[in-house]
Amino acid sequence: MDIIVCIKRVPQTAEAEVSIDSTGKSIQKDRLTFDMNESDTYALEEAVLLKEKFEGNITVLSLGYPDTDDTLRIALAKGADNAIRIKAENFENPDAFQTAQILKSVIKTINFDIILTGCIATDDAYSQIGVTLAELLEIPHAALVIKVDANEQRTHVHRELEEGLIEHLDIKLPALLTILTGINEPRYASLIAIRRAAKKEIQQLGKENIELEDLVINSVIEELYVPPVTKQVEILTGSPSETATKLAGIVKEKGLI
Amino acid sequence: MTELFVLIEHRKGEIRDISFELLTCAKKIAEKENLNVTALLLGSKTDQIIDKIKNYAHKIYLFDDPVFENFNSEIYQKNLSDIIKKESPLLTLIGHTAFGMDLCPALATELNIPFSTDCLNLTFEDKKLKVTRQMFDGKLNTHEILRENPSYIITIRAGSFPAVEGNFNAEIVKLSPKETTEPEYRKFVEYIEAAIGDVDITKSDVVIGIGRGIREQENLEMIEELAASIGGVVGCSRPIVDADWLPKDRQVGSSGKIVKPKLYIAIGISGAFQHVMGMKNSDTIIAINKDPNAPIFNEADYGIVDDLMKVVPILKEKILEMK
């Protein structure tokens, strides 16, 4: 079973302070760490699990700048066989749609049974690329997948809906699945594997190496701004002891203890 | 008159709240842009749903067939692309839900219509569609301009437009579906209900919600002790369930449980909207987080900006003292 995993290197912002840069359209990146997008790590692990079951080949693919090679190398260390970087520096601020178009142009030259992507990128948060890519490739898809049970021809999948409800589908391969966090336990790459991956070649594709169709941009960022305050929070100040005392007082005042 | 389409979402025969929110959003835009609000209802045995939405739209396009009873994005896409092609509405609104995320990008791509997803608001400015979205874990907002086109498709985040009933009396137009056979390449099998666990967090007056910020599984004990001191239960955001530190039935959020306790204490939770959807209607919300710009402070009544490892143990002691 041949599998393609599309990944993205993103700034890790969940636990970090984020500030807008001088262009007003992007963020200051110098103090942030970058890593593989969270749900992509689960997509990669699911690919490795499928490979362990069916054998085959895993290709990881990313549209990114040269530092994306580090992320692709981690993917190789975790079990991917080939890595391809499409040079982001050859394209001018592609949006999610154009990214899907570029990925499609490369993927149509590769054999595959399943394409896995993360269900959302934590930076731009569109949840578009996987399903768009499936439509461009004219293959079936399922978004928000929390369980994959495949054979060579078809796959049963569970999609996670609201309030914990699961939708069980039966899909014909080749197909594209967008993977949710929590579907598996992503492995860590061993030191030996990382060392071995350091020597592997990462295929670099420039614009001139890809047979592109007419590229389209659907949306352009006009500005970034701090979300307006919708509810006035009262921030308790002081040492941990002081703030905790104030908070306990509020809890008592409300009659909850 | 130019049309504004709204896709009605339902599950197991029940209309979903997002449908009313989309219709409310549609009315607001329709008044400003002089559009006709048309609800698209693909369903089976739809009388009840029609009753509930008829005051919200000028018109209901009804596609009635048993195949629409359960959602299948493929069959929805075939019928929606046909009607959108025929009528070219200025705008089609879909919920940014598990249903909309599976459908919208494919539908818009097939039709070659510019689209955007997870929008909080939208306006037309000089014929250009401008949308408001969030990026970087909800820490920043963006304004984005879409490629100019006679028709757009947008998915709207749940909770962005609180439902307000309209005073329309929709004309119901029955249309014959273009496609009513489920394709063999994607078949709906069944719905599977969430497993019922030992603790029902929706029944507790106090819920302590924990997130990524607690860092280590061993820190859970400290949180359990705090919950015990106050007589509450421990819930969590998605990353804690992903890491298997707590079972799925403790997850607070749109894909987990919706809780409305008297007190919700969010500890080490940044406040992704999926989580906020599950706790924003709590009577009192307290947030403890080291990032002063964490979106959770936008939902909280009281906040402490500090290291939770320092605050939580003292908080437990103080609560026990005051009891």
Side-chain angles (χ1 to χ4, degrees):
Chain A
M1 182 172 285
D2 293 330
I3 305 158
I4 296 173
V5 186
C6 301
I7 64 171
K8 185 178 189 184
R9 181 179 171 88
V10 295
Q12 304 294 300
T13 53
E15 292 294 301
E17 285 188 43
V18 177
S19 43
I20 301 164
D21 74 4
S22 57
T23 67
K25 297 180 183 191
S26 190
I27 55 166
Q28 287 176 16
K29 301 199 170 91
D30 46 343
R31 270 185 296 172
L32 294 170
T33 55
F34 282 71
D35 205 345
M36 194 185 301
N37 177 52
E38 191 184 21
S39 53
D40 301 354
T41 66
Y42 290 86
L44 175 63
E45 177 64 29
E46 202 58 29
V48 176
L49 294 173
L50 285 168
K51 183 186 156 181
E52 285 171 356
K53 199 167 165 193
F54 296 100
E55 298 185 341
N57 196 62
I58 299 173
T59 302
V60 280
L61 177 62
S62 186
L63 172 67
Y65 291 95
D67 53 9
T68 296
D69 284 356
D70 299 344
T71 311
L72 288 167
R73 253 180 237 293
I74 294 292
L76 289 170
K78 287 182 175 185
D81 300 283
N82 314 305
I84 303 171
R85 180 176 75 87
I86 308 168
K87 295 179 178 174
E89 58 271 31
N90 286 178
F91 298 90
E92 217 172 303
N93 296 324
D95 68 344
F97 185 75
Q98 185 168 110
T99 302
Q101 287 188 301
I102 297 166
L103 292 172
K104 177 222 169 175
S105 298
V106 173
I107 287 173
K108 68 182 183 192
T109 66
I110 307 172
N111 281 326
F112 67 88
D113 299 289
I114 296 188
I115 301 174
L116 302 177
T117 70
C119 64
I120 184 170
T122 55
D123 55 355
D124 54 23
Y126 285 110
S127 292
Q128 285 184 11
I129 287 185
V131 178
T132 303
L133 182 57
E135 181 66 29
L136 291 171
L137 289 162
E138 296 177 21
I139 57 171
H141 74 270
L144 309 174
V145 171
I146 196 72
K147 184 181 171 186
V148 178
D149 179 11
N151 62 39
E152 306 277 357
Q153 284 80 40
R154 300 186 72 90
T155 183
H156 283 268
V157 302
H158 286 183
R159 292 181 65 227
E160 188 178 280
L161 312 181
E162 288 78 8
E163 286 148 61
L165 190 70
I166 299 290
E167 181 183 300
H168 174 183
L169 297 174
D170 173 16
I171 291 179
K172 186 171 187 278
L173 302 182
L176 183 146
L177 312 176
T178 84
I179 302 294
L180 262 174
T181 57
I183 186 174
N184 52 40
E185 278 180 57
R187 67 195 66 196
Y188 292 97
S190 70
L191 278 175
I192 299 168
I194 289 172
R195 238 174 273 146
R196 219 177 284 145
K199 292 178 198 134
K200 281 195 187 167
E201 191 204 350
I202 291 171
Q203 194 183 345
Q204 310 280 329
L205 290 183
K207 209 171 183 173
E208 68 283 1
N209 310 115
I210 308 170
E211 205 176 302
L212 290 163
E213 289 159 37
D214 287 344
L215 294 180
V216 172
I217 291 238
N218 270 340
S219 62
V220 175
I221 294 177
E222 195 184 47
E223 57 170 341
L224 278 179
Y225 61 99
V226 176
V229 174
T230 50
K231 184 171 167 183
Q232 201 56 53
V233 58
E234 183 183 336
I235 297 289
L236 310 174
T237 53
S239 67
S241 173
E242 287 164 344
T243 55
T245 307
K246 286 180 194 169
L247 200 51
I250 289 164
V251 173
K252 186 168 174 78
E253 215 174 273
K254 303 244 173 218
L256 293 162
I257 48 173
Chain B
M1 201 191 268
T2 312
E3 297 281 333
L4 194 171
F5 282 178
V6 173
L7 181 60
I8 301 302
E9 188 168 325
H10 55 84
R11 184 171 292 153
K12 297 181 167 183
E14 297 281 338
I15 187 162
R16 303 197 66 243
D17 288 346
I18 185 74
S19 304
F20 301 112
E21 299 176 16
L22 294 172
L23 287 162
T24 302
C25 169
K27 181 169 182 266
K28 205 175 132 195
I29 298 163
E31 280 167 359
K32 207 163 153 243
E33 303 298 325
N34 197 23
L35 306 169
N36 202 25
V37 177
T38 297
L40 306 178
L41 176 56
L42 289 72
S44 171
K45 298 180 206 134
T46 51
D47 289 356
Q48 253 191 342
I49 295 176
I50 289 172
D51 267 355
K52 286 184 175 157
I53 61 172
K54 65 172 192 275
N55 290 343
Y56 284 85
H58 294 101
K59 203 161 55 176
I60 298 170
Y61 280 163
L62 175 64
F63 298 82
D64 192 345
D65 191 279
V67 79
F68 301 127
E69 189 182 335
N70 297 313
F71 172 70
N72 180 332
S73 72
E74 294 289 344
I75 195 102
Y76 265 70
Q77 185 180 332
K78 285 200 170 78
N79 288 287
L80 290 170
S81 68
D82 186 55
I83 188 81
I84 292 171
K85 234 180 276 171
K86 274 184 194 146
E87 304 224 350
S88 192
L90 177 61
L91 186 63
T92 301
L93 296 178
I94 299 175
H96 192 69
T97 55
F99 172 118
M101 283 186 244
D102 201 46
L103 168 70
C104 165
L107 174 65
T109 299
E110 179 194 337
L111 291 164
N112 192 23
I113 287 179
F115 66 104
S116 191
T117 45
D118 195 16
C119 298
L120 280 61
N121 199 4
L122 68 168
T123 48
F124 284 93
E125 289 179 14
D126 306 329
K127 286 188 180 173
K128 283 184 178 163
L129 179 56
K130 180 167 154 178
V131 298
T132 307
R133 301 186 63 257
Q134 287 196 324
M135 286 174 69
F136 305 108
D137 294 290
K139 292 185 177 178
L140 293 175
N141 278 15
T142 68
H143 282 144
E144 296 181 25
I145 306 284
L146 272 75
R147 160 169 74 88
E148 214 174 319
N149 196 64
S151 188
Y152 300 93
I153 302 180
I154 298 293
T155 69
I156 300 282
R157 177 181 290 189
S160 303
F161 291 87
V164 181
E165 190 162 354
N167 47 6
F168 304 117
N169 187 7
E171 172 198 358
I172 295 155
V173 183
K174 277 197 174 183
L175 297 174
S176 48
K178 184 169 187 275
E179 181 61 60
T180 56
T181 316
E182 191 176 44
E184 66 82 43
Y185 57 81
R186 174 167 165 154
K187 289 190 206 159
F188 175 88
V189 180
E190 60 182 338
Y191 286 127
I192 302 167
E193 297 288 343
I196 296 163
D198 53 345
V199 176
D200 185 351
I201 59 169
T202 64
K203 298 265 157 63
S204 183
D205 282 345
V206 179
V207 177
I208 317 267
I210 52 166
R212 252 186 244 275
I214 76 155
R215 299 200 176 273
E216 305 286 337
Q217 188 170 12
E218 59 205 40
N219 296 334
L220 251 176
E221 202 180 311
M222 171 181 85
I223 304 291
E224 292 282 3
E225 284 171 11
L226 173 65
S229 75
I230 200 169
V233 297
V234 179
C236 63
S237 63
R238 182 169 194 111
I240 301 296
V241 177
D242 289 346
D244 256 342
W245 294 355
L246 283 174
K248 179 81 185 170
D249 59 13
R250 301 292 189 98
Q251 187 184 327
V252 174
S254 49
S255 63
K257 296 276 170 66
I258 312 291
V259 298
K260 293 172 190 170
K262 288 184 179 150
L263 176 65
Y264 189 87
I265 309 182
I267 301 179
I269 287 179
S270 75
F273 90 94
Q274 292 91 339
H275 181 75
V276 168
M277 293 296 297
M279 46 63 81
K280 65 176 179 183
N281 293 324
S282 308
D283 292 348
T284 300
I285 297 171
I286 294 170
I288 304 172
N289 201 298
K290 66 179 170 50
D291 175 7
N293 300 319
I296 193 72
F297 288 120
N298 225 344
E299 304 298 330
D301 300 286
Y302 303 96
I304 295 178
V305 181
D306 209 332
D307 181 355
L308 67 94
M309 296 301 294
K310 289 181 189 152
V311 177
V312 170
I314 306 173
L315 181 60
K316 182 194 78 181
E317 294 308 322
K318 296 293 171 191
I319 283 173
L320 288 174
E321 275 172 31
M322 286 187 198
K323 249 184 171 172

